[in-house]
Amino acid sequence: IQRLMENNDSICYCGRITEIKEIPGCDNIMSAKINDWNTIVRKGGYKVGDLVGVAVTDAVLPEEMVTRLDIKSYLRKGNRVRTVRLKGVYSECLVFDIDSNYKEGQDLMTDFNVVKYEEPVKMINISVPKVYFKWDKIHEFKMWKRWINYKINSFRKKYSYKENPNFNVYYKFPNFKNVPDIFTEDDQVVITRKIHGTNARYGVVTRSKLKFWSRQKNEFVYGSHRVEKGSDSQGFYSTDVWKEIMEKYDLKTKLWDIFGHVEDGGNFILYGEIYGPGIQKNYDYNLKEIEFKAFDIELNGEFIDDFRFQRFCDAINIPRVDYLYQGKWSKQQQESYSKDFIEGTKIPHEGVVVKSIDGNKRKRAKVVSSEYLIYAEAHNVTDSH
């Protein structure tokens, strides 16, 4: 049965209990399932078919609701719903009673003042020492060049940066547990590793404002998941991991080159993940320095199919995320890969991403490992972008 969600990315909605099971050795609680979320409920409190309110992992509950339900001790700091494991059973969401006038799949975030926890944007800067003018080296060209560049960059920072509206933020696709019917066994999909790092985007897009003397209507832009860091029209004054990756992989040159061979023209944006030492706590992936892997390309507002994505990346020698499976969708295959650990460690991978090979953005979902959620809480691992 297809269960329609009013908001596929909702973290608090009206769900239907589809399964209730005994937990061996427990007299007062039972395991239950809503959509694909596992939870623990009191024995005799609910039955299969009941409509309930469900707040999933990382939902932030208002204090009034926490007090009324008396659940403070079950939440993370800041009233965030957390994933726990009890007697070998995962509890990934919180269930609560709601009025009978709500419909299955209805978004309850506004009605119950529930918001999604968002880590602040992580500004990972590389330390750059101040450049001083030295009279004893006044005849050295190198000193003049470094000092002038430093002054130019300092001057640029005094002005507000205006982001290019054509440089799109990556599409936020849903958690599979919210949309367990999104794929069928007839769907051709790819399953790739979900890297725990920080998002990055690089593109050649139409300039937001074209000056009458400008002969170039496009510009190269780069940035993090939500923040634009620099562009041809406004300069590249930031020194950070996004710029370091841009230079390490020569992305500006490569994207301009491939842009010239794209028949569709318009806007070309490469999305990927920066990962390695210093990006996310405990997640250095056995690397000595940071690296980058691409996971999607947007061309004129649409994601390209997987064949073209691989061809583009290979053509400009850009690493791609690890491919774990390609073929007809199978929940068993999906779950088997989502429980992996980083090679040679006891650190769980964050999970996997499942996408339709045709690039349809409505046919993609993330599967976050329950082991990762438990590990992240125990070790204070953040989820910043």
Side-chain angles (χ1 to χ4, degrees):
I1 299 173
Q2 181 74 26
R3 292 177 284 274
L4 297 177
M5 291 284 291
E6 187 174 74
N7 170 12
N8 284 344
D9 201 44
S10 177
I11 40 79
C12 183
Y13 60 91
C14 174
R16 188 181 299 277
I17 295 181
T18 56
E19 181 181 284
I20 293 182
K21 290 183 178 179
E22 297 275 352
I23 301 177
C26 297
D27 298 326
N28 301 318
I29 57 175
M30 303 183 75
S31 68
K33 183 168 281 192
I34 301 99
N35 277 8
D36 210 52
W37 294 96
N38 295 304
T39 188
I40 293 175
V41 297
R42 65 184 182 277
K43 197 166 188 175
Y46 299 103
K47 62 182 184 300
V48 172
D50 284 350
L51 288 177
V52 295
V54 52
V56 304
T57 296
D58 274 349
V60 180
L61 310 183
E63 193 64 39
E64 173 277 326
M65 184 178 182
V66 174
T67 302
R68 174 169 52 84
L69 298 176
D70 191 23
I71 54 174
K72 192 79 172 180
S73 60
Y74 299 99
L75 302 174
R76 294 182 71 174
K77 183 180 179 181
N79 294 343
R80 290 166 59 190
V81 176
R82 61 177 176 167
T83 295
V84 297
R85 183 172 53 201
L86 179 65
K87 300 284 187 178
V89 176
Y90 291 109
S91 178
E92 305 161 317
C93 60
L94 173 74
V95 168
F96 57 94
D97 295 334
I98 55 174
D99 295 335
S100 58
N101 57 327
Y102 287 110
K103 297 179 180 179
E104 184 178 5
Q106 186 172 346
D107 192 352
L108 304 180
M109 292 175 66
T110 301
D111 286 10
F112 287 86
N113 295 317
V114 175
V115 296
K116 184 172 184 177
Y117 178 77
E118 293 283 356
E119 287 278 355
V121 177
K122 191 173 183 180
M123 306 301 288
I124 315 170
N125 293 316
I126 299 170
S127 177
V128 180
K130 185 175 179 179
V131 178
Y132 294 95
F133 186 90
K134 298 180 180 180
W135 284 101
D136 60 328
K137 296 185 178 182
I138 193 170
H139 299 297
E140 290 188 15
F141 173 74
K142 188 179 294 185
M143 184 277 290
W144 277 102
K145 183 178 179 182
R146 291 176 63 231
W147 186 77
I148 291 172
N149 285 337
Y150 173 76
K151 286 297 181 182
I152 290 174
N153 290 341
S154 299
F155 177 74
R156 283 173 174 165
K157 289 181 180 180
K158 295 177 182 178
Y159 294 89
S160 59
Y161 187 99
K162 296 180 181 178
E163 298 196 349
N164 188 325
N166 300 311
F167 189 45
N168 296 332
V169 170
Y170 188 61
Y171 171 70
K172 198 171 188 177
F173 49 84
N175 190 310
F176 177 81
K177 292 179 183 296
N178 268 359
V179 286
D181 304 308
I182 191 171
F183 300 110
T184 70
E185 293 183 354
D186 292 325
D187 287 322
Q188 291 285 339
V189 302
V190 292
I191 299 178
T192 58
R193 175 68 63 210
K194 193 174 191 303
I195 304 171
H196 191 48
T198 187
N199 280 186
R201 53 193 168 125
Y202 302 88
V204 175
V205 301
T206 305
R207 291 175 183 259
S208 55
K209 289 185 179 179
L210 289 174
K211 296 182 174 67
F212 71 89
W213 63 81
S214 176
R215 304 177 69 178
Q216 178 59 263
K217 72 172 186 176
N218 297 98
E219 65 173 341
F220 175 81
V221 194
Y222 80 97
S224 64
H225 174 59
R226 298 194 295 267
V227 180
E228 193 173 309
K229 299 288 185 178
S231 67
D232 285 332
S233 61
Q234 299 184 75
F236 304 94
Y237 51 80
S238 296
T239 304
D240 50 42
V241 295
W242 296 276
K243 185 175 182 180
E244 183 183 353
I245 287 296
M246 177 186 77
E247 294 173 343
K248 178 177 180 177
Y249 292 88
D250 195 19
L251 291 175
K252 183 176 179 180
T253 301
K254 290 178 176 179
L255 263 61
W256 269 118
D257 181 59
I258 201 166
F259 181 77
H261 294 85
V262 175
E263 342 172 308
D264 311 66
N267 299 317
F268 184 95
I269 306 174
L270 175 75
Y271 300 96
E273 197 82 4
I274 299 171
Y275 65 107
I279 302 298
Q280 297 288 4
K281 182 181 178 182
N282 294 358
Y283 279 79
D284 60 12
Y285 290 91
N286 301 317
L287 298 174
K288 298 299 183 183
E289 58 183 40
I290 60 172
E291 294 186 5
F292 173 82
K293 285 187 178 179
F295 53 69
D296 241 324
I297 289 175
E298 183 183 283
L299 183 58
N300 295 329
E302 299 292 335
F303 292 115
I304 62 177
D305 63 73
D306 187 67
F307 174 75
R308 291 185 80 191
F309 167 71
Q310 292 189 52
R311 190 179 64 178
F312 277 143
C313 289
D314 294 347
I316 55 178
N317 196 27
I318 295 298
R320 295 181 269 107
V321 286
D322 296 338
Y323 277 60
L324 306 174
Y325 171 80
Q326 183 169 341
K328 288 192 173 182
W329 177 78
S330 159
K331 188 174 181 182
Q332 184 178 4
Q333 287 275 12
Q334 175 179 292
E335 290 185 344
S336 67
Y337 293 120
S338 66
K339 298 174 183 177
D340 292 343
F341 288 76
I342 296 174
E343 186 177 358
T345 75
K346 294 183 179 180
I347 301 173
H349 276 294
E350 186 178 353
V352 298
V353 173
V354 187
K355 299 189 299 184
S356 173
I357 62 171
D358 62 5
N360 183 353
K361 73 177 183 180
R362 301 296 177 187
K363 282 274 192 175
R364 54 184 64 198
K366 59 185 176 184
V367 183
V368 181
S369 163
S370 297
E371 288 292 342
Y372 160 77
L373 293 172
I374 293 173
Y375 178 88
E377 181 175 351
H379 295 84
N380 196 30
V381 177
T382 63
D383 192 26
S384 56
H385 297 292

